[in-house]
Amino acid sequence: QVQLVESGGGLVQAGGSLRLSCAGSGRALSNYAMGWFRQAPGLEREFVARISRSGANTYLADSVKGRFTISRDNAKNTVFLQMNSLKPEDTAVYYCAATTSYTTAVVGSMYNYWGQGTQVTVSS
């Protein structure tokens, strides 16, 4: 079993940047493809990004393409989400998640382990 802890959230003005981190413990994150999801108040959880075990393949939601980048450092057992050109509509709790699936998992139910989330607030 793997435990995930997100960090790096906060309050930022529109157009600003944040870098989220997801630290794993219990098992090596290299055993998992990793994803980032977000959930805004009153809305359903939304897929943001996914990265393969090696980091060679990434997939991002259309809403964040060109602004967000997902990466990982398996030596440090950590996954990152670099968020640039932030917009107020990016405001949400951001969660990282681990999946044993080998497909491009964009649905939350395909992920086996979740972090507790970190709040990102973008002011206009």
Side-chain angles (χ1 to χ4, degrees):
Q1 187 160 343
V2 64
Q3 292 79 44
L4 303 171
V5 178
E6 302 94 336
S7 62
L11 174 64
V12 63
Q13 287 188 332
S17 298
L18 282 174
R19 188 194 197 202
L20 305 184
S21 298
C22 173
S25 61
R27 281 199 77 191
L29 289 187
S30 56
N31 292 298
Y32 305 93
M34 299 296 295
W36 285 95
F37 289 78
R38 65 187 181 186
Q39 188 166 21
L43 299 180
E44 293 187 353
R45 183 173 55 195
E46 175 188 21
F47 168 79
V48 175
R50 178 223 183 243
I51 188 166
S52 63
R53 285 162 176 75
S54 68
N57 296 299
T58 63
Y59 182 77
L60 289 99
D62 288 343
S63 58
V64 304
K65 277 181 183 175
R67 300 189 298 123
F68 290 13
T69 303
I70 186 172
S71 62
R72 67 190 299 161
D73 185 340
N74 285 337
K76 295 183 178 180
N77 228 29
T78 304
V79 179
F80 304 98
L81 185 68
Q82 178 67 45
M83 306 186 295
N84 299 327
S85 302
L86 283 161
K87 305 175 181 179
E89 51 264 44
D90 294 318
T91 295
V93 177
Y94 283 71
Y95 300 90
C96 72
T99 179
T100 54
S101 171
Y102 282 86
T103 65
T104 304
V106 300
V107 178
S109 60
M110 297 184 71
Y111 286 77
N112 306 95
Y113 304 103
W114 292 82
Q116 83 291 348
T118 185
Q119 176 70 47
V120 171
T121 303
V122 184
S123 63
S124 57

